[in-house]
Amino acid sequence: MIRDILMYMDRTYIPNTHKTPVHELGLNLWRDNVIHSSKIQSRLLSMLLELVHRERTGEVIDRGLMRNIIKMLMDLGSSVYQEDFEKPFLEVSAEFYMGESQKFIECCDCGDYLKKAELRLNEEIERVTHYLDVKSEVKITNVVEKEMIANHMMRLVHMENSGLVNMLLDDKYEDLGRMYNLFRRVPNGLSTIRDVMTSHLREIGKQLVTDAEKLKDPVEFVQRLLDEKDKYDSIISQAFSNDKTFQNALNSSFEYFINLNNRSPEFISLFVDDKLRKGLKGVSEEDVEIILDKVMMLFRYLQEKDVFEKYYKQHLAKRLLSGKTVSDDAERSLIVKLKTECGYQFTSKLEGMFTDMKTSQDTMQGFYASHPELTDGPTLVVQVLTTGSWPTQPSITCNLPAETSALCEKFRSYYLGTHTGRRLSWQTNMGTADIKATFGKGQKHELNVSTYQMCVLMLFNNADRLSYKEVEQATGIPASDLKRCLQSMACVKGKNVLRKEPMSKDIGEDDAFFVNDKFTSKFYKVKIGTVVAQKESEPEKQETRQRVEEDRKPQIEAAIVRIMKSRRVLDHNNIIAEVTKQLQSRFLANPTEIKKRIESLIERDFLERDNNDRKLYRYLA
């Protein structure tokens, strides 16, 4: 109003004489005489702080009045607002929240404490919107964050029975989400959560992969790993807003503990074997893809991918040859995934196995077309396997019954007549047979057996009683296989087409065998079990290990030569680093082994040592 009355003076006189404008002069006088008056200044401040305190303790205050007073202080200049109100307000708030956090942390569990902290934070943000300066928001929230969260971070995370580990164990998504959102506001908050989560994960992962009890069933073992991964994936996506750094911590933890157990590659392959044999029956295509993707995710964590390949190849061979795979599509889908992950070399042999199966069908059609007279007798189905593509099996010959050996000879001459320069060796240990049998009371059954079991059973067409020695002599089957094969026919209830004397669980050298005339089964077709893919015994494991180590040698040498060809001269440590890096997609190369391969290449004149510096190598073209 005064400015309006003195408008002419304000517009003409003041600019020319450089005096203070009327409105500003009025505010300055108001500030110096009223707001900064000794009787008013401290009283006003204590009233304002008192009102804020009352509001914090749950009373309702006149927010309109507060807003007007704060606005008045701000109109007098930001320094007045800051000095006369904001600074003392922040100091008092820090004291208030220090006391409150102390009280809460003594009596609340972690989840409740975080709820209270979140509530206080939101209250302060709301207070700013109602009657404080917008710029105060960052300052007051910093006070609450420091006093209620940053100062108690470690205690909250490690709180007994309710801290972070308990939240993770009990899947408390809401509490975890709250902890994540509050801790991300303070320095090192997220790294604190991440470190505790990582060490907890590594601890339980280590227990999972080293507990002998849990290693008895490979399928269960892998399922547990997948369940653990699913659990943490959903925690990270639901509570930690898909934070990439948490995802990386999860991945590095899994990679750490999966490789603590050197049987992980074998177990993952057995898990796939179980799923593709029977576990995926009646499962939709999408679900099959989900399971295969999960397997691939575990595969990525493996450092020894070549060991997995070895086992996978063995298991795939058994599935294909026994016709036990649930779906060819699923098999091929997994091979495509492996190819994408590891390149063409990794899967070329696996793809070759499928090609052989397809070619064998065509070969059999050709064989029967050229021998129409064979349609009446026993039928033969041969799978011709390329030596390089399939897992190498020692070629064990056994004496086939006359009926089948004549057929096999005909097939051999047909095959070698149509293909030049090839050799056929029969892998009798991998085949199966269907034979018709008549038991005591004229009961007829069709028995599905292995080739070895067929050779044994056919002997009983011409004899009632045979000793173990006689069976061994007549069939020529290796002792360990023969014992397993007799065991499955004489000692398994419901499959005991033979009986033995004396009756016991194991097969002895002095046992005698008879046809079990009393054999009955409610099924016409009876499958007599053969031992499917299962965990390897210790000697077999050692043998596979040795084969893997042998296969690695040429790969390491090839990598060294590739590197040296492009670099020409390189020192020892750099070669080791480069080779390890090149081969890590297949396995973790052992520095000692790399050193041996370098020595071997020097002996064979691929490389030479530098005359002055023994750690330098030169490539010899």
Side-chain angles (χ1 to χ4, degrees):
M1 191 176 160
I2 292 172
R3 184 173 56 177
D4 285 352
I5 294 168
L6 302 173
M7 193 182 289
Y8 180 73
M9 179 180 82
D10 212 20
R11 281 187 182 170
T12 56
Y13 174 73
I14 285 170
N16 295 334
T17 52
H18 306 297
K19 304 253 188 230
T20 311
V22 172
H23 183 254
E24 198 182 316
L25 182 64
L27 290 180
N28 292 348
L29 291 167
W30 173 259
R31 180 190 63 205
D32 299 339
N33 295 299
V34 180
I35 299 302
H36 286 167
S37 138
S38 55
K39 291 182 180 164
I40 293 175
Q41 190 172 15
S42 57
R43 196 165 157 210
L44 175 64
L45 176 63
S46 59
M47 285 296 289
L48 289 173
L49 296 178
E50 171 67 19
L51 285 171
V52 172
H53 182 76
R54 280 172 32 194
E55 190 175 46
R56 279 181 182 149
T57 50
E59 286 185 41
V60 178
I61 63 166
D62 185 345
R63 281 180 164 175
L65 176 63
M66 282 293 282
R67 187 168 46 248
N68 291 337
I69 292 182
I70 297 293
K71 187 174 180 315
M72 174 187 74
L73 294 177
M74 281 156 62
D75 286 347
L76 296 175
S78 60
S79 61
V80 177
Y81 169 76
Q82 283 167 7
E83 294 301 323
D84 286 10
F85 173 72
E86 194 184 54
K87 258 191 195 161
F89 164 72
L90 293 174
E91 284 163 17
V92 169
S93 300
E95 268 173 55
F96 175 79
Y97 285 119
M98 186 195 286
E100 185 165 89
S101 66
Q102 243 6 91
K103 189 174 79 190
F104 284 163
I105 206 147
E106 296 305 334
C107 67
C108 298
D109 68 15
C110 182
D112 288 342
Y113 181 92
L114 293 173
K115 277 182 195 156
K116 291 186 187 321
E118 184 181 52
L119 189 69
R120 282 306 197 188
L121 201 56
N122 293 335
E123 276 175 16
E124 291 302 333
I125 293 169
E126 193 192 353
R127 183 168 292 116
V128 172
T129 58
H130 281 299
Y131 54 75
L132 299 181
D133 180 11
V134 182
K135 295 193 190 85
S136 299
E137 185 175 319
V138 177
K139 299 174 189 172
I140 185 63
T141 50
N142 279 345
V143 168
V144 183
E145 287 157 9
K146 178 172 177 286
E147 296 300 339
M148 294 205 82
I149 301 161
N151 291 351
H152 302 288
M153 220 158 38
M154 281 312 186
R155 187 161 171 192
L156 285 169
V157 167
H158 296 293
M159 199 176 267
E160 210 174 325
N161 302 328
S162 70
L164 178 59
V165 170
N166 292 80
M167 290 180 183
L168 292 170
L169 289 172
D170 302 334
D171 293 335
K172 293 194 168 169
Y173 294 131
E174 199 184 318
D175 287 347
L176 287 165
R178 190 172 288 117
M179 181 179 267
Y180 176 83
N181 288 324
L182 289 173
F183 276 47
R184 72 192 294 183
R185 306 179 73 106
V186 300
N188 302 326
L190 289 187
S191 59
T192 305
I193 300 182
R194 204 166 45 241
D195 295 346
V196 173
M197 181 187 92
T198 304
S199 62
H200 167 66
L201 237 178
R202 290 187 176 211
E203 196 50 50
I204 51 173
K206 197 172 175 182
Q207 285 167 11
L208 264 182
V209 300
T210 50
D211 181 349
E213 202 52 43
K214 289 178 177 158
L215 297 179
K216 283 182 179 165
D217 181 353
V219 178
E220 269 293 290
F221 168 82
V222 176
Q223 193 54 57
R224 278 198 196 94
L225 288 177
L226 289 177
D227 293 345
E228 206 56 41
K229 180 76 170 65
D230 284 348
K231 174 189 167 92
Y232 281 89
D233 274 341
S234 60
I235 286 176
I236 289 172
S237 72
Q238 292 181 41
F240 299 157
S241 65
N242 249 334
D243 190 316
K244 276 282 175 288
T245 57
F246 279 78
Q247 202 66 54
N248 296 342
L250 175 65
N251 290 339
S252 74
S253 303
F254 260 79
E255 190 173 325
Y256 160 76
F257 62 71
I258 269 186
N259 291 302
L260 286 179
N261 184 346
N262 62 4
R263 300 197 77 167
S264 293
E266 179 194 351
F267 286 3
I268 293 172
S269 178
L270 282 167
F271 178 80
V272 175
D273 186 64
D274 176 76
K275 290 293 173 212
L276 292 173
R277 247 173 213 282
K278 53 180 187 281
L280 297 176
K281 271 187 186 149
V283 177
S284 71
E285 268 184 48
E286 289 85 23
D287 292 347
V288 170
E289 280 299 305
I290 290 170
I291 290 172
L292 295 182
D293 283 337
K294 285 182 176 176
V295 169
M296 283 308 297
M297 168 202 66
L298 288 183
F299 170 76
R300 279 184 204 111
Y301 295 138
L302 290 176
Q303 283 169 350
E304 301 189 299
K305 294 185 172 63
D306 55 341
V307 179
F308 171 85
E309 184 192 12
K310 266 271 182 293
Y311 286 111
Y312 183 73
K313 203 165 153 189
Q314 286 172 15
H315 297 155
L316 174 64
K318 286 182 181 169
R319 284 200 298 279
L320 290 178
L321 295 176
S322 61
K324 281 289 176 350
T325 183
V326 175
S327 118
D328 266 3
D329 291 345
E331 291 279 10
R332 286 180 186 283
S333 168
L334 188 59
I335 287 176
V336 169
K337 290 179 195 299
L338 286 167
K339 192 176 184 174
T340 317
E341 194 65 35
C342 296
Y344 167 72
Q345 273 109 344
F346 197 86
T347 57
S348 58
K349 289 178 178 173
L350 304 176
E351 286 168 338
M353 289 158 82
F354 279 97
T355 314
D356 283 349
M357 295 302 286
K358 177 80 187 78
T359 316
S360 298
Q361 284 174 1
D362 303 340
T363 307
M364 287 322 296
Q365 284 168 357
F367 172 62
Y368 276 107
S370 64
H371 290 79
E373 77 282 359
L374 294 177
T375 44
D376 297 339
T379 52
L380 180 71
V381 179
V382 183
Q383 318 285 3
V384 183
L385 316 178
T386 316
T387 311
S389 299
W390 295 72
T392 45
Q393 295 275 352
S395 189
I396 302 160
T397 48
C398 76
N399 307 324
L400 293 169
E403 299 88 336
T404 48
S405 60
L407 257 180
C408 289
E409 271 317 304
K410 279 189 176 161
F411 178 81
R412 180 193 287 276
S413 51
Y414 163 77
Y415 187 82
L416 297 177
T418 52
H419 298 83
T420 51
R422 294 196 181 178
R423 275 209 335 256
L424 282 182
S425 58
W426 296 98
Q427 297 271 342
T428 43
N429 53 340
M430 292 160 83
T432 58
D434 288 328
I435 51 180
K436 291 194 167 119
T438 311
F439 292 93
K441 296 174 182 169
Q443 252 195 323
K444 292 188 174 180
H445 287 288
E446 191 177 295
L447 307 177
N448 173 252
V449 292
S450 71
T451 307
Y452 284 164
Q453 290 167 335
M454 171 192 75
C455 297
V456 174
L457 289 174
M458 296 293 275
L459 298 175
F460 286 95
N461 278 341
N462 311 318
D464 293 331
R465 172 191 188 283
L466 288 167
S467 71
Y468 173 81
K469 289 271 184 252
E470 287 167 329
V471 174
E472 186 173 39
Q473 209 170 347
T475 58
I477 298 170
S480 62
D481 289 322
L482 180 58
K483 284 183 178 171
R484 273 217 304 264
C485 140
L486 285 166
Q487 205 171 9
S488 58
M489 293 194 290
C491 307
V492 179
K493 202 177 172 185
K495 313 276 186 186
N496 47 345
V497 289
L498 298 180
R499 62 191 177 81
K500 77 179 191 78
E501 288 179 3
M503 194 56 213
S504 64
K505 272 191 175 176
D506 295 316
I507 305 289
E509 306 262 325
D510 307 321
D511 292 353
F513 296 89
F514 310 83
V515 172
N516 177 11
D517 288 333
K518 293 179 183 156
F519 175 76
T520 56
S521 173
K522 53 186 176 187
F523 302 109
Y524 172 65
K525 284 189 173 181
V526 179
K527 177 171 172 31
I528 308 239
T530 46
V531 183
V532 293
Q534 81 249 65
K535 272 201 316 188
E536 288 189 309
S537 63
E538 207 48 50
E540 287 175 318
K541 193 173 123 191
Q542 293 302 333
E543 195 186 321
T544 307
R545 262 276 151 215
Q546 248 166 330
R547 285 211 304 272
V548 168
E549 293 298 340
E550 281 307 312
D551 287 351
R552 284 180 180 178
K553 287 178 183 175
Q555 294 184 50
I556 295 174
E557 288 184 352
I560 296 170
V561 171
R562 270 198 307 273
I563 291 160
M564 291 305 293
K565 212 171 186 173
S566 65
R567 297 292 189 84
R568 294 290 168 186
V569 179
L570 203 58
D571 66 277
H572 183 77
N573 290 349
N574 274 325
I575 288 193
I576 301 267
E578 289 272 340
V579 171
T580 311
K581 189 176 166 190
Q582 267 198 25
L583 295 173
Q584 70 188 14
S585 66
R586 282 188 67 72
F587 58 89
L588 202 59
N590 179 348
T592 324
E593 192 53 50
I594 300 175
K595 190 165 188 273
K596 283 182 189 164
R597 301 301 11 114
I598 293 174
E599 297 298 337
S600 160
L601 288 169
I602 290 174
E603 279 167 29
R604 281 154 34 217
D605 290 337
F606 280 92
L607 311 175
E608 66 173 3
R609 274 203 172 84
D610 187 86
N611 292 331
N612 305 323
D613 183 352
R614 303 297 286 159
K615 284 198 167 183
L616 262 191
Y617 303 107
R618 292 178 192 287
Y619 177 68
L620 298 172

